[in-house]
Amino acid sequence: MELPNHAKQILLQLNQQRAKGFLCDVIIVVENALFRAHKNILAASSIYFKSLVLHDNLINLDTEMVNPSVFRQVLDFIYTGKLLSSLDQSSEQNYSALLTAASYLQLHDLAALCRKKLKRSGGKPLPGKLSTSGPLSRLRHNNERLSSSTLTASHNHYILAPSDADQPDDGLRDKLSDDEMFIGSTAGKNGTCGSGSNGNLSNGLSGRETDLGLDLSKKSPPSAGTTTDALSPHSNSQGSPQSASVSTTNSASLDDSTTTLPSLDTTGPEPMELIPTPKAPEDSQAHPDAPPPRKSSRQVARKKEWPKREASGLKAEDHDPPLVNGVIMGPKEGCSSSGVGGDSRCSFPSDQSFQCKEEEEVGQNGQEHSDQSGHSDGESGGGGHHSANYVYRQEGFEPAFGDNLYVCIPCGKGFPSSEQLNAHVETHTEDELYIKEEVGAFVKEEEAEDLSAPVAPTTFGISEPRPFKCTVCSKSYKDPATLRQHEKSHWLTRPFPCNICGKMFTQRGTMTRHMRSHLGLKPFACDECGMRFTRQYRLTEHMRVHSGEKPYECQLCGGKFTQQRNLISHLRMHTSPS
DNA sequence: CTGGGGAGGGGGCCC
DNA sequence: GGGGCCCCCTCCCCA
């Protein structure tokens, strides 16, 4: 007995799931586009992918070997066994590019198919580099290049490019479907395949900023419950080709729910709902003792709480983000909140929100898009710029061509990109950037609050020498590095921009953490319920939910709390007159 | 409807 | 650079 169409049906299902991001557990970054896919499928298709997905959930492919348009076809092929070429894609050039990519990715069937096509059309099977150097040597070369960093400038993929000038060339964009959204690139107009290795995206950035080699990955703590932790994710395991720059979440499976871009504005028409997709059903089976779900729209609106969603019996696909063929939508040139035209649209409000038009076919229940607050946390009070000393993107900007959206507060000068702004900011001397105490209006609230904090904190009553004193606020620190770190908080500008939303940070670590929230990377998984967190501390807090531990006790009423913040808010209730 | 509690998320900042 | 903690905002649930 054999069902003749079984394999076909399964593949069809998988492809549909990919299109919706359902159960996707790996992100492939190609230049400026993110693709989501299933590790199993990739591994089954190519030894190369097999080696990559073994330990990694975020894979950066060499942009010299494959561009988003080509990879889209490759992925289609993997999932369908068909080469879906449109008119402009069926050219000889396209097959050459496909062949290059197929060779690089070790998709032998696809490579053979391309060769056949090229032969038929009289084209040379493998023009250029691959025929001479071969993919493997190329891979080795890449490996060397990439050994020092995962998302280095030369393969930086999370770059915001609000203006047209920053976008990849039209040729490439034309090849991309309307639904594929660039995260953007500051590589100027060098977004085409083959230009990615020059590290030329600095575009005026200072050296420090150009090297925003973000390893957004995070190793899951042992509690995340996998066995691969001990392995170095890139220990050249199995001698695998490692040309792809891989940012890994390692053992913490980057399940489908994590590979999302951030929040949405609700104002746009059919904003693309980049909610995390629900966890795989297996998870819920694996955690039968998971706490009862809180059924709520918040699950959708806040793009989290997968266990709840799955437990609620929600058909994940019904609410899955409208990923288009697994491509995670990022901002794209010309994005506007108006969402006109057939393109997926997105905008970059002053905070890290995205807003994208939802693809029609996935629109079904696309309803409740994330509430604005969901991702404007910490800024909601200020219309997007709650901190006066942010170098901010102008409120209500439309990413129209030519606008200088990034404004340097000290001098008021506008710049079309965060990078250019940063380059400019570097020209200010540090002295200029300090906020003098008398400029009270610019002291951000955190600092103001800190005034109540002890100036020279002691540890358990024992004074530690703190010889390094801040000249601005008189806080003192044990070492100069910490002092310098602190002093940055007084600067008018913040040296670390988010390449996706342009938000600025005083500390690289904070920015990196912020970037993880863009990408939905949640490496810390709860053993009990499978819920995932961006931070270890959150997981620790969360675990108290399961343990029932309530270490924070109100001295006034004896009430106990799992989280200190809740005790604090509780105490307010005691103290506030209302 | 409202207030309180629980909990998720983000940013700041110190170590 | 990462970890940990603090603070804030927000949402949801429930009494």
Side-chain angles (χ1 to χ4, degrees), chain A residues 28-29 39 42-56 59-63 65-66 71 74 78 100-108 135-136 138-140 142-143 146 237-246:
Chain A
I28 303 104
V29 181
K39 285 185 174 183
L42 297 184
S45 312
S46 136
I47 299 174
Y48 177 65
F49 274 129
K50 191 176 182 180
S51 64
L52 287 180
V53 302
L54 191 60
H55 301 296
D56 304 305
I59 296 169
N60 293 292
L61 296 183
D62 187 345
T63 55
M65 312 301 282
V66 58
F71 188 71
V74 168
I78 289 174
T100 301
S103 303
Y104 161 55
L105 300 170
Q106 299 185 34
L107 293 157
H108 305 303
L136 288 177
R138 172 99 204 120
L139 303 185
R140 276 190 291 276
N142 288 335
N143 199 21
L146 296 166
S237 55
Q238 296 91 39
S240 61
Q242 294 287 341
S243 82
S245 149
V246 180

Side-chain angles (χ1 to χ4, degrees), chain A residues 73-137:
Chain A
Q73 295 173 67
V74 168
L75 211 49
D76 283 341
F77 175 81
I78 289 174
Y79 275 81
T80 63
K82 298 171 190 166
L83 259 183
L84 311 167
S85 54
S86 64
L87 278 178
D88 66 324
Q89 287 175 335
S90 55
S91 67
E92 195 175 304
Q93 266 189 333
N94 182 55
Y95 285 123
S96 288
L98 265 173
L99 178 52
T100 301
S103 303
Y104 161 55
L105 300 170
Q106 299 185 34
L107 293 157
H108 305 303
D109 290 343
L110 178 58
L113 204 60
C114 291
R115 274 193 211 99
K116 205 184 286 178
K117 285 275 185 187
L118 283 167
K119 256 183 201 169
R120 222 176 274 169
S121 63
K124 291 176 185 172
L126 196 55
K129 51 198 173 191
L130 282 186
S131 58
T132 54
S133 62
L136 288 177
S137 65

